[in-house]
Amino acid sequence: MAGGGRAWASGAVGLCLLLLPLTGCGGGRTASGPAMAEVQQVLDRRAAAVLGHDQRAYTETGTRASYADLRAVPLAEWSYRLTALHPDGAGATAEARLSYRIQGYDRAPVTTDRALTLSRTADGHWYVAADKPGRKAGQQLWDQGTVTAVEGAHSLVLGVGQSGDTLREYAGLADTAVPAVSKAWGTQWTQRVVLVVPRSLNGMAGLLGAPASNYRGIAAVTTGEVSEANGGSSPSKTGAGSGRTPADRVILNPEAYAVLGSVGKQVVLTHETTHVATRTHTSAATPLWLSEGYADWIGYLGTGRTAPEAAPELARAVQDGDLPEDLPVDKDFGFTDDPTKLAEAYEGGWLACRMIAAHWGQERLDAFYRAVGAHQGRTGAVEDALRGELGTTSADFTARWRDYLTDQLGE
């Protein structure tokens, strides 16, 4: 298994405003009117300070801790939209939607919910006392500490708690992955990738808003912003994409990734970069055996790895007489307590794509992938693409795949 599962996933001035009475001062009630407008203006000034690299102006709007943590991130946009304000004694809590875009990488902003704690100075000025992830939102990297940024020829690596040498190594691997993916898939994508490297597995889980146990042993995941026009901004798994790639991220699990050899590290990053490149042609109709198998197929190109070397778990099963009856289904790619079954699912998808390239050719493999993703509706996509692009049926394809497993993995 090359990678892991996917988690799909936006001139400062320092004037503070005089506090006007909150509308509806009872605890737990939502404020509106002038109070909302005042707090929004404070957040607008705070955003302008971030973009203007004006620490003094930022500090005048509230806590300055996060400013130093995100200062290295090359931002093109940063804005807050206040969505709710709740009075709480002398202060308030607020809910806001943060939108930001990384310069040169994001085609559209990343959006995420934030929970703000607001206080007042003695003379009645609002300020931000705390800015944290919203109740159902994952962390941003700068929530975990000071971000270091390293830019490569085709990549931006953002890390917390990582040495500059490590981040430069990862940038080099990403810079190798991008042209490799373009050579196989084509150049109709951004041809740039953002790598996010937290301090630990727990940091990775915090970014994804999920338990760490879900990602233990998973070297990396790819996330992507889902367009609001396509149903909101929550992350989604690869295979249920929006047809756009406004802001993809490759998030590394530093604990699992660090123990890989040089070939393994490169395969993982090439695999994840393939997801970035193919997501405009990946839809709800694309089965995970195809999206993950295709990413592994590109990841292993040129490595010289044989089928048994790259698919050891499935090779063991075949040699033990446990030949799969069918291609892996999406639930087989879920993160469970059975890493063998998960590995077999990835390996089965890779060998299916490898078989298509060997028997029908790479151009037909690419056309098949695009045809499945372009299908109108979730049902019948694979069957229609098999007939239209490969001239075969699902039953015949599965039989060929089973024979291919025996041929490639049997003793």
Side-chain angles (χ1 to χ4, degrees), residues 55-201:
Q55 183 174 355
R56 183 183 66 82
Y58 187 89
T59 302
E60 288 175 351
T61 67
T63 178
R64 64 182 180 181
S66 58
Y67 176 86
D69 291 337
L70 63 86
R71 183 167 48 193
V73 182
L75 295 166
E77 295 181 25
W78 183 278
S79 65
Y80 295 93
R81 178 170 61 85
L82 187 64
T83 57
L85 183 63
H86 307 287
D88 183 15
T93 59
E95 300 163 27
R97 174 64 57 88
L98 170 65
S99 299
Y100 68 90
R101 183 169 61 86
I102 292 180
Q103 181 70 48
Y105 290 86
D106 296 340
R107 293 181 173 180
V110 172
T111 59
T112 185
D113 291 329
R114 305 294 290 182
L116 308 177
T117 301
L118 303 169
S119 296
R120 292 185 284 177
T121 63
D123 53 357
H125 294 157
W126 281 114
Y127 67 92
V128 179
D131 181 349
K132 298 180 180 180
R135 185 169 60 89
K136 295 184 178 181
Q139 295 176 330
Q140 299 301 305
L141 187 62
W142 45 87
D143 291 322
Q144 301 179 1
T146 301
V147 176
T148 300
V150 171
E151 190 159 15
H154 307 287
S155 62
L156 174 67
V157 185
L158 304 174
V160 165
Q162 305 291 332
S163 71
D165 287 344
T166 295
L167 299 183
R168 282 187 287 273
E169 175 195 349
Y170 294 167
L173 292 167
D175 286 345
T176 298
V178 168
V181 172
S182 293
K183 182 179 179 180
W185 173 252
T187 59
Q188 299 304 306
W189 63 292
T190 60
Q191 298 189 83
R192 295 169 76 80
V193 64
V194 178
L195 247 61
V196 178
V197 190
R199 189 187 307 273
S200 64
L201 168 62

Side-chain angles (χ1 to χ4, degrees), residues 198-206 212-218 253-255:
R199 189 187 307 273
S200 64
L201 168 62
N202 287 334
M204 178 193 196
S213 58
N214 284 10
Y215 300 100
R216 185 167 286 108
I218 301 298
N253 172 357
E255 297 172 19

